[in-house]
Amino acid sequence: MTTGKFNDMSAMEALRRAQAISVGPFVFQAVAAMEDLGLLGILGDLGPGESITREEMARRSGVSLYGVSVLLDLAVTADIVIENPENGGLSLSKLGIYLTSDPMTRVNLAFTRHVCYQGLEKLTDSLKTGRPEGLRVFTADHDTIYPFLKDLPEKAREAWFGFDHFYSDRLFPKALPELFRRFHPRLIYDVGGNTGKFALAATDYDPEVKVTVIDLPEQCEKARENFQKAGREERARVFPADILKEEPALPGEADIWWLSQFLDCFSAGDISGIISRIYRAARPDAVLAVNEILGDRQKNEVASLVVDATSLYFTALANGRSRFYHARELISLIEGAGFKLCDEIDHLGMGHTVMFFRKNPEAEYEEGRRGAGHEG
């Protein structure tokens, strides 16, 4: 609910929701246990109209009848499982079907469970210190999660990249036609390009475009490996740099500076510094294209809830200072560094907004200078 009045919700509904929050961790961990023990899989394999008893589930799964019963009692009460009162037959509800088979729900569930759940216990400490205190669940040797991504435990690493790629993979097919239709770029800088997913997608989309990933050395190393595996070294390169530092000097020949799900990794102060650095390096006619998931630009309340909830990952685990921003704040930060918003597209992919900025809105895009160089 983005806006509302005190009496929009009845007292009983408010109490019901309050209790759902109070016992929410129990429900979450029960779902996790049912997944690990194979109970959700057994229910998910049932055909239309089929059901199964607790005794049969215990036999098939190898879990004690006690274990099956305590989990299924809660699953029924939480509307995840439906129980036939006449014969005790159990089957998945609509909610249970989403939990077991909806790709977005599965990705979000894994990210919450394997990356965030334990670290979120340190949310209060993170808000007090401005540091990702929950990251200590995984390591005490890093101030942010990003240099440590490749060293996360296997399930956490798979969940982190699965979450990141699920959303970006659904954005790129929508965003690339817009970028090329509007600007026909021949050289793109992908700032914070991570493992090179966008660079590979862009060079697949256009046979002439070149992309340089600008990111931390650790990420550039992985991106370079992926470019070599794809046989794309001639058009997909890397430029190792810490964007928060002034050295080395950034290259400046790109037609488009592409920042995708990148600024949410930084505090407001850091964003001002990053965009100012890009502004100084960029050509006068260059385009700054910023893709973000914005909490106030979602299609419905459920999407807004997921975005604003997941935003706390940045507080507790990523760096202690950043978030999924709302549009007004992010645009103000970028324009404060000198760029001017020229256009924006909402609801691309899975709730993304792509915003286009220019140094000088009056200047025309100089197609003749496209791809003047390619660093890396």
Side-chain angles (χ1 to χ4, degrees):
M1 181 181 298
T2 53
T3 59
K5 298 178 181 178
F6 185 81
N7 289 322
D8 284 349
M9 185 185 300
S10 69
M12 286 305 300
E13 176 63 13
L15 180 60
R16 186 190 71 80
R17 293 195 187 188
Q19 296 309 313
I21 292 172
S22 300
V23 301
F26 291 91
V27 178
F28 183 92
Q29 292 292 11
V31 170
M34 289 174 66
E35 182 175 57
D36 289 345
L37 295 171
L39 303 183
L40 283 181
I42 292 171
L43 289 165
D45 289 339
L46 295 174
E50 292 183 340
S51 63
I52 186 171
T53 64
R54 285 170 167 77
E55 290 78 10
E56 179 63 14
M57 287 194 73
R59 187 188 68 78
R60 290 193 194 181
S61 66
V63 179
S64 69
L65 182 59
Y66 164 80
V68 168
S69 295
V70 294
L71 291 173
L72 269 297
D73 285 350
L74 178 54
V76 170
T77 306
D79 295 325
I80 298 167
V81 171
I82 297 171
E83 183 171 19
N84 186 325
E86 296 181 359
N87 59 19
L90 301 161
S91 59
L92 288 175
S93 67
K94 288 182 180 179
L95 191 160
I97 291 172
Y98 276 112
L99 284 171
T100 56
S101 60
D102 175 62
M104 181 173 63
T105 303
R106 298 292 302 157
V107 164
N108 290 344
L109 188 69
F111 183 72
T112 301
R113 181 184 180 190
H114 297 299
V115 179
C116 302
Y117 196 92
Q118 286 182 281
L120 281 171
E121 195 271 333
K122 296 295 184 181
L123 178 62
T124 300
D125 293 340
S126 296
L127 290 166
K128 289 179 178 179
T129 66
R131 296 191 299 269
E133 303 295 348
L135 183 57
R136 295 182 184 181
V137 169
F138 299 118
T139 178
D141 298 330
H142 295 273
D143 295 327
T144 72
I145 199 172
Y146 306 109
F148 188 68
L149 288 175
K150 62 182 178 62
D151 298 313
L152 283 169
E154 183 178 0
K155 286 188 176 181
R157 185 173 65 253
E158 290 178 355
W160 195 98
F161 284 104
F163 181 86
D164 183 73
H165 293 167
F166 177 84
Y167 291 97
S168 62
D169 287 354
R170 284 153 181 77
L171 167 75
F172 296 159
K174 302 292 185 180
L176 284 169
E178 292 293 336
L179 285 177
F180 282 88
R181 179 180 65 83
R182 293 163 183 257
F183 307 114
H184 309 286
R186 286 296 169 263
L187 177 58
I188 300 173
Y189 292 158
D190 182 8
V191 183
N194 209 327
T195 59
K197 294 278 288 186
F198 173 79
L200 290 174
T203 50
D204 272 342
Y205 184 83
D206 187 282
E208 297 182 9
V209 73
K210 297 178 180 180
V211 182
T212 295
V213 168
I214 301 175
D215 209 331
L216 295 170
E218 300 90 340
Q219 303 308 113
C220 283
E221 179 182 350
K222 184 61 178 178
R224 184 187 282 112
E225 292 176 4
N226 290 336
F227 299 156
Q228 290 173 345
K229 289 179 183 178
R232 211 68 57 81
E233 309 98 302
E234 292 302 313
R235 293 194 294 128
R237 310 278 185 83
V238 298
F239 186 94
D242 185 339
I243 195 68
L244 294 175
K245 299 178 180 178
E246 291 298 327
E247 297 295 335
L250 294 178
E253 291 297 325
D255 307 304
I256 292 178
W257 294 70
W258 170 253
L259 281 65
S260 181
Q261 294 177 211
F262 178 65
L263 294 181
D264 52 46
C265 300
F266 299 94
S267 67
D270 286 341
I271 289 174
S272 295
I274 290 167
I275 301 301
S276 294
R277 190 179 178 196
I278 292 173
Y279 185 87
R280 292 192 298 270
R283 284 172 16 199
D285 67 322
V287 173
L288 176 68
V290 175
N291 163 59
E292 283 294 339
I293 297 177
L294 304 172
D296 57 342
R297 292 289 184 88
Q298 299 305 305
K299 288 183 177 180
N300 55 59
E301 294 175 1
V302 173
S304 295
L305 175 65
V306 171
V307 172
D308 286 335
T310 310
S311 183
L312 296 178
Y313 144 80
F314 296 101
T315 310
L317 286 112
N319 54 44
R321 305 181 304 277
S322 71
R323 58 171 299 179
F324 284 132
Y325 288 88
H326 284 202
R328 181 179 300 177
E329 181 179 7
L330 189 59
I331 292 170
S332 177
L333 289 169
I334 295 172
E335 292 196 329
F339 285 100
K340 298 300 178 185
L341 179 67
C342 295
D343 199 2
E344 54 191 330
I345 310 172
D346 287 326
H347 310 311
L348 282 180
M350 302 295 291
H352 293 80
T353 293
V354 178
M355 298 170 284
F356 302 102
F357 299 83
R358 291 183 183 272
K359 269 187 168 182
N360 180 3
E362 304 302 322
E364 293 187 3
Y365 183 69
E366 298 180 18
E367 291 192 27
R369 289 196 58 195
R370 294 180 304 180
H374 190 213
E375 294 77 4

